[in-house]
Amino acid sequence: MKRLMIILFAIGMTTMSSTSMASMSKSKVRKEARFLTDKMSYELGLNAGQRNDTYEINYDFIYSVRDLMDDVLSGEEWAMDRYYYLLDIRNDDLRWVLNDSQYRRFVQVDYFYRPIYASGNKWSFRIYFTYTNHNHFYFGRPYHYTSYHYDHYRHHYDHVSYYRNRYNHKVYVNFHSVRDRRVYNTHRSSDFSSVRIRPNTSKPRVSVNSDRRPNAPRVSTGSSSSNRNPSTTVRPSSSTSSSRPSSSVTTRPSASTSSNRPASNSGSSVSKPSSSSSGSSSSSRPSSSSVRNSGSSSSKSSSSSVGRSSSSSSSNRSSVSSSSSRSSSSSSSSSSGRGSSRR
């Protein structure tokens, strides 16, 4: 039973020391930042002001990398470069808070200078190898332990350290960069020995897939649509510009009306305009929907021509009737004259 309790306690300690992105909440970030700051204050001899500023710097660093570590563990080279860039910012901010002697000691301690390491598929803080009791603190909470959140990070101050020239003590002049070419590979192999860098991961995949690729199809589709529109607009204009329906309608009534045939026969004069009107209607049938206006205008002209032909036919009828009446009257007058002479 005692052995089982020891195993369960060891598993619980390992779970608490290992940190993953999904479990790193703001409260967890505050606790990790306080624990690291407390041990730095204890070993480096920081005063109250330095302790509060160191807590802010550690909080900003842990909060910045918490969403990045899963990509680091998966072997993304850009994520690992980003991690060491954020680590250099954190160490440079501390350079303005610590005095020269404090910073020299800080650089020599790996669990202060490079606090995060990876083991397998998990990442954790090196400080827990030395300080195994996670609930033991030498100092109390900082005064803004629950209220501070990313307030003094560099992007709020044009990427310049907020802590620069805030202290009158002598600061360390020669800044040590973790990304120095002479030691960068050594630090990477020490911090993330279990991580294998994947090929072709020097740039984030999100910027390639979401920014560049969708733009090309949009440009190509825009150009194709602009080229297709003129072809559709030219075709209706060519069909509407044809003058076949109007010429067939206007010429036939004029030919029928100019003829003097209705003077001899009234029936033929009536039938010919009707045939011309039927011809105009038949000629207007093949026209498309785009030339309806021209068809209506042609029907109007045909109707006017029919009216004219009907009026001419009616005038011819009246002339025929008047000539017949004249002939009848002349015949009656001649017959009466003949009768009177016989008597």
Side-chain angles (χ1 to χ4, degrees), residues 50-65:
Q50 290 175 324
R51 187 163 57 250
N52 292 330
D53 290 341
T54 302
Y55 168 77
E56 294 177 359
I57 295 171
N58 287 330
Y59 178 91
D60 293 341
F61 169 70
I62 298 172
Y63 187 84
S64 299
V65 302

Side-chain angles (χ1 to χ4, degrees), residues 11 34 107 201 215 217 246 249 270-271 277 302:
I11 294 173
R34 182 196 174 191
V107 173
T201 58
N215 289 337
S246 59
V249 174
V270 176
S271 61
S277 63
S302 62

Side-chain angles (χ1 to χ4, degrees), residues 204-270:
R205 290 175 294 175
V206 176
S207 62
V208 175
N209 295 331
S210 62
D211 294 339
R212 294 182 181 178
R213 291 183 180 178
N215 289 337
R218 291 179 182 176
V219 174
S220 62
T221 54
S223 60
S224 61
S225 62
S226 62
N227 291 330
R228 290 177 183 176
N229 289 332
S231 61
T232 56
T233 54
V234 170
R235 290 180 181 176
S237 62
S238 60
S239 61
T240 54
S241 61
S242 62
S243 59
R244 290 181 182 177
S246 59
S247 61
S248 61
V249 174
T250 54
T251 53
R252 289 182 182 178
S254 61
S256 62
T257 53
S258 61
S259 63
N260 295 325
R261 290 181 182 178
S264 61
N265 190 3
S266 61
S268 63
S269 63
V270 176

Side-chain angles (χ1 to χ4, degrees), residues 153-221:
Y153 198 65
R154 289 196 176 190
H155 68 266
H156 295 298
Y157 300 93
D158 296 332
H159 300 283
V160 178
S161 178
Y162 168 80
Y163 310 95
R164 184 175 183 176
N165 299 326
R166 284 175 56 87
Y167 293 88
N168 295 326
H169 56 246
K170 181 182 178 180
V171 298
Y172 186 79
V173 178
N174 298 324
F175 171 65
H176 285 277
S177 176
V178 181
R179 295 179 297 164
D180 191 351
R181 294 180 180 178
R182 295 172 297 180
V183 294
Y184 184 42
N185 292 330
T186 304
H187 292 330
R188 286 176 56 174
S189 60
S190 177
D191 299 338
F192 305 104
S193 59
S194 61
V195 177
R196 297 292 179 264
I197 300 299
R198 297 163 57 186
N200 301 324
T201 58
S202 59
K203 294 181 180 180
R205 290 175 294 175
V206 176
S207 62
V208 175
N209 295 331
S210 62
D211 294 339
R212 294 182 181 178
R213 291 183 180 178
N215 289 337
R218 291 179 182 176
V219 174
S220 62
T221 54

Side-chain angles (χ1 to χ4, degrees), residues 260-294:
N260 295 325
R261 290 181 182 178
S264 61
N265 190 3
S266 61
S268 63
S269 63
V270 176
S271 61
K272 287 183 177 179
S274 63
S275 62
S276 64
S277 63
S278 63
S280 63
S281 62
S282 63
S283 62
S284 61
R285 288 176 186 176
S287 61
S288 60
S289 60
S290 61
V291 293
R292 290 179 181 177
N293 294 327
S294 61

